[in-house]
Amino acid sequence: MGPIRHRRRLFRAAAAAIAFGFALAACSTTSTETGQGVTSAPCPQAVDKSKGCIYLGVLSDLEAGPFAPLGKALNDGQLAFWREVNKAGGIGNYEVDITTYARDTAYDPHRHREQFRQIEPHVLALAMSFGTAQTLSVLPEMDAGDLLTGAGTLWSGWQYRDTDRNLVLDTGYSYCTEAIMGLDWFAQFQSRPRTLAVVAFRGNYGGDYASGALRWASENNAIVTARVDTGPNTEVGNQDGPVAEILANPPDVVLLATGPGETAEIIGKLVAGGYDGRFLGSTPTWNGALLKTPVAAAITSLYNYTSPYDGWDGRSVGAQHARAAALQPPTNWGYNLGWAISYPMKAVLSRAAANGHLTRAGVRGALNGLSVDSEGMAAVHNYGAGEPDLTAQRAVIGVPDANAPMGSRTVLPDFRGPTLQRVTLHGPCARL
């Protein structure tokens, strides 16, 4: 080999080494630390196969539990949300999959734990953990593994760092403050109740809602004639006991924190028994399918429900985007709930990716000080404070309407009542 050719080879080798060094430097400045649930391989249904995949788990009532219709619709809303996120470019260099590790828990805490332990090694976070007792049953393991979850529950404990361990992406209001705002609305737009009764599922859902109703009564000089614990019909058989207790001393308004089926039975049997008051229901009590039951007329004329988010007929930008993203008309308004509760997860994943720490610890750390705007579907939510700002919470008031899409119509999209402006809460209402 001649000296000229030798020098040329040395020059090419040096140039290649320099180029490789620049490539390494570029990678080191743009690389992201990743962990469990994040792969360089594309998602199974990838839009852009050059991107990696973030796997999120789903633990929900998807098939045969007492809240399956709501759980399915919630899941449809989340699927639509992440489908649009992926079409818009995903999260950094990744798209998001919430299908591979979606599991039906039938609203059973034992089954919830089993399914959690099966999918936990494979996901970065949970897009959904449906149910308060169910989520509490795995919270210590979530804490140990730095595993965040979207909130498929409105228990007030998720709004306090001492009880949610900075792991549950709560939004909107709690069941407790829902009852307070609902009664404020009732007092302003129906009639001021002198007496009220509460029928609620045992546990944190019903207990939280009932505690809020009792707090409202205390603040507004109302009398609670009955505070009745019950359970899903799959457990207790029927609602004859609560109906008999209410009829023994009929109040001006009956508040309900049950499932849709139990709601229909209680309303139907109370009206048949001569009760002539009204009904106010928590978010999970409503399903448009109730208008296909024999008690549809009573429900339409006597019942209202509250929600923390814009419904299908909402006018916010978020509600418009949710409608546009639906591949077909949703089965019920839970679709909008699923869409709305996905904004916080997108925000925290985006911040973690921008920080270069798309790991569980990185995602958990990214939650502190995060402010999430759900495009108007709910009030702006700030994370990291020790306690919630009750004055910022608002409620959407709905009424059944067979002529409206999804069988319901928004009466008031942004209600803020006076009682919540003056009460003080320092922990989960169900424990107060």
Side-chain angles (χ1 to χ4, degrees):
M1 178 187 300
I4 295 177
R5 289 181 63 192
H6 180 65
R7 284 196 297 272
R8 285 175 177 170
R9 287 196 172 188
L10 287 175
F11 176 79
R12 285 197 296 269
I18 293 171
F20 181 67
F22 278 126
L24 282 177
C27 288
S28 66
T29 58
T30 61
S31 65
T32 298
E33 178 190 2
T34 59
Q36 289 172 277
V38 183
T39 68
S40 58
C43 295
Q45 304 296 326
V47 176
D48 182 350
K49 293 188 181 300
S50 71
K51 290 181 176 288
C53 191
I54 296 171
Y55 288 95
L56 302 179
V58 171
L59 298 171
S60 188
D61 187 357
L62 299 174
E63 295 180 10
F67 291 105
L70 176 61
K72 291 176 184 176
L74 278 165
N75 195 52
D76 288 343
Q78 291 197 291
L79 286 168
F81 182 92
W82 291 109
R83 184 170 60 246
E84 293 303 306
V85 169
N86 290 339
K87 284 165 60 177
I91 305 291
N93 293 319
Y94 301 88
E95 292 184 5
V96 177
D97 175 287
I98 69 165
T99 302
T100 302
Y101 298 106
R103 300 291 185 270
D104 174 48
T105 66
Y107 200 63
D108 176 78
H110 178 71
R111 187 167 174 176
H112 198 96
R113 286 193 300 272
E114 288 182 340
Q115 298 293 346
F116 172 84
R117 289 164 184 167
Q118 287 183 18
I119 69 171
E120 184 273 334
H122 310 291
V123 298
L124 178 63
L126 298 176
M128 168 64 66
S129 179
F130 190 86
T132 304
Q134 292 76 2
T135 303
L136 284 169
S137 73
V138 296
L139 194 65
E141 293 173 69
M142 291 169 56
D143 189 19
D146 289 326
L147 191 70
L148 262 66
T149 184
T153 155
L154 299 175
W155 178 51
S156 59
W158 306 138
Q159 299 187 340
Y160 298 89
R161 297 291 75 84
D162 288 345
T163 46
D164 91 325
R165 311 189 193 190
N166 212 31
L167 292 169
V168 181
L169 299 174
D170 64 294
T171 58
Y173 54 54
S174 69
Y175 297 124
C176 176
T177 55
E178 177 182 40
I180 294 172
M181 285 187 286
L183 282 165
D184 270 347
W185 171 83
F186 191 94
Q188 184 174 341
F189 291 94
Q190 294 291 333
S191 63
R192 189 171 188 83
R194 293 173 292 107
T195 57
L196 59 92
V198 189
V199 181
F201 279 175
R202 292 181 291 272
N204 290 305
Y205 159 40
D208 218 46
Y209 190 80
S211 295
L214 268 60
R215 183 62 182 265
W216 186 91
S218 174
E219 292 283 339
N220 291 277
N221 299 314
I223 297 172
V224 179
T225 61
R227 194 298 197 193
V228 189
D229 282 334
T230 188
N233 281 342
T234 53
E235 297 177 11
V236 301
N238 59 57
Q239 300 299 315
D240 289 349
V243 168
E245 191 164 345
I246 298 300
L247 287 176
N249 189 11
D252 296 329
V253 58
V254 175
L255 283 87
L256 299 169
T258 60
E262 293 78 15
T263 292
E265 180 185 348
I266 291 167
I267 292 176
K269 288 181 175 179
L270 281 174
V271 172
Y275 176 70
D276 60 359
R278 290 191 62 89
F279 302 89
L280 184 63
S282 177
T283 300
T285 62
W286 171 244
N287 189 308
L290 296 184
L291 297 186
K292 299 178 182 179
T293 68
V295 297
I299 289 173
T300 300
S301 61
L302 299 174
Y303 160 88
N304 289 92
Y305 66 89
T306 41
S307 169
Y309 310 116
D310 256 2
W312 182 253
D313 63 349
R315 298 182 179 181
S316 67
V317 173
Q320 294 175 43
H321 286 165
R323 285 195 297 272
L327 300 179
Q328 58 188 11
T331 56
N332 65 65
W333 73 304
Y335 170 90
N336 271 57
L337 301 185
W339 180 282
I341 65 175
S342 300
Y343 284 101
M345 184 62 73
K346 178 191 175 188
V348 74
L349 291 179
S350 297
R351 176 183 270 193
N355 291 342
H357 300 293
L358 206 51
T359 63
R360 289 182 178 180
V363 171
R364 189 176 189 177
L367 189 60
N368 290 319
L370 185 68
S371 181
V372 176
D373 177 4
S374 59
E375 298 186 298
M377 292 191 77
V380 173
H381 197 86
N382 299 306
Y383 293 92
E387 298 183 350
D389 179 5
L390 301 182
T391 64
Q393 296 184 6
R394 74 179 204 193
V396 178
I397 312 298
V399 62
D401 184 342
N403 297 316
M406 304 299 123
S408 67
R409 160 174 59 85
T410 298
V411 175
L412 202 57
D414 188 4
F415 179 76
R416 304 167 192 258
T419 303
L420 206 57
Q421 309 303 310
R422 64 176 187 264
V423 301
T424 301
L425 303 172
H426 295 298
C429 291
R431 298 182 186 177
L432 294 179

